[in-house]
Amino acid sequence: MLELTGIDRTYDDGHPVSALRKANLTLTEGEYVTVTGPSGSGKSTLLNVIGLLDRPDGGSYRVCGVETAGLGERVRVGIRGQLFGFVFQAFHLLAGRSTVENVELGMLYGRHARRTRRRLAVAALDRVGLGHRRHADPRTLSGGERQRVAIARAVAGRPRVLLCDEPTGNLDSATTATVLALLRELNTAGLTVVVVTHDERVAAEGDRGLRVVDGTVTEVVR
Ligand code: ADP
């Protein structure tokens, strides 16, 4: 489904930093992949390139057979909205809005009408076991619950790939377990899951392991 070939990404603010160097990666629909590697090795950049949040400077990135290199920003935003959901270490929930409103906001730029968005948001909260907290302010939720709301927001619009950058980085081990159980459940239901993590336990959850070192991707042999 996703095929990166010879991907380069160099940041340049003053002096050039090569974040990805000739990175190659093929992801098949339905996989559960975890990505590890030293800090600064290019993991987040890889995730951002995969999710069309960032543009590589070189190489080929095909999404469902379509080469994305030459696509304009509007088309990229459209593909991103349909295909990808994002979960980050910081939950990025808005205080003063209910959880269901937070989940709806994730679909604001998608293809769904307002009424459909509410229905999908409620269904997503049910899916993460927080339907009963739909009117709660995120400030009244625990860290694990907040991340589950963030996951509901990421999957409510029915993406095919969930991209998670250190999703358990702010959680203790008990709540990490609930988030991992949820990711596994979503994967079993067909969602492709990619998780960047420092945590060996989280890394071991994936069916396939990748390691990024100096901007290059290698398979972890298990
Ligand atoms: P990781 O996620 O493995 O910690 P990153 O992908 O965040 O690594 O970063 C890879 C390299 O690119 C690092 O050297 C980092 O400092 C650099 N980098 C990341 N984002 C930027 C940016 N926006 N501007 C400049 N350099 C960046």
Side-chain angles (χ1 to χ4, degrees):
M1 179 171 46
L2 308 176
E3 190 173 13
L4 294 83
T5 314
I7 291 290
D8 292 316
R9 176 69 175 104
T10 302
Y11 295 106
D12 198 349
D13 39 41
H15 63 105
V17 175
S18 222
L20 293 175
R21 303 165 199 247
K22 304 268 173 272
N24 298 315
L25 173 61
T26 302
L27 290 174
T28 305
E29 183 142 39
E31 283 194 294
Y32 186 155
V33 181
T34 50
V35 184
T36 54
S39 181
S41 60
K43 303 182 295 299
S44 296
T45 304
L46 177 68
L47 213 62
N48 291 342
V49 166
I50 293 173
L52 300 172
L53 287 171
D54 196 2
R55 257 180 206 277
D57 306 300
S60 158
Y61 177 30
R62 297 174 81 85
V63 175
C64 302
V66 176
E67 175 58 57
T68 62
L71 295 179
E73 198 50 30
R74 276 180 58 169
V75 179
R76 286 166 54 90
V77 168
I79 298 174
R80 187 193 307 151
Q82 288 214 0
L83 221 60
F84 299 105
F86 298 89
V87 175
F88 301 97
Q89 176 169 351
F91 318 120
H92 298 303
L93 299 174
L94 294 182
R97 301 282 196 128
S98 66
T99 60
V100 73
E101 285 172 331
N102 268 279
V103 173
E104 277 175 11
L105 282 170
M107 292 179 278
L108 203 54
Y109 301 104
R111 60 208 135 106
H112 302 292
R114 195 171 191 285
R115 192 170 294 178
T116 312
R117 290 203 297 268
R118 173 56 59 111
R119 186 171 54 72
L120 290 172
V122 170
L125 281 172
D126 283 340
R127 206 168 171 193
V128 304
L130 288 171
H132 63 295
R133 301 305 305 276
R134 77 181 69 150
H135 301 300
D137 187 302
R139 284 174 293 195
T140 67
L141 303 178
S142 71
E145 287 172 333
R146 287 180 197 185
Q147 194 57 305
R148 278 153 60 201
V149 173
I151 292 172
R153 181 182 55 197
V155 301
R158 310 262 167 90
R160 282 162 64 189
V161 185
L162 186 63
L163 301 173
C164 311
D165 199 347
E166 298 284 357
T168 61
N170 282 340
L171 304 179
D172 62 29
S173 59
T175 44
T176 290
T178 65
V179 165
L180 291 181
L182 177 57
L183 293 179
R184 174 55 74 183
E185 198 180 307
L186 292 167
N187 174 251
T188 303
L191 188 66
T192 305
V193 176
V194 182
V195 179
V196 166
T197 184
H198 272 103
D199 184 336
E200 284 305 321
R201 263 185 338 151
V202 175
E205 272 294 308
D207 298 324
R208 174 183 174 197
L210 299 173
R211 192 160 171 79
V212 182
V213 177
D214 289 338
T216 303
V217 184
T218 54
E219 297 282 336
V220 175
V221 180
R222 293 186 167 160

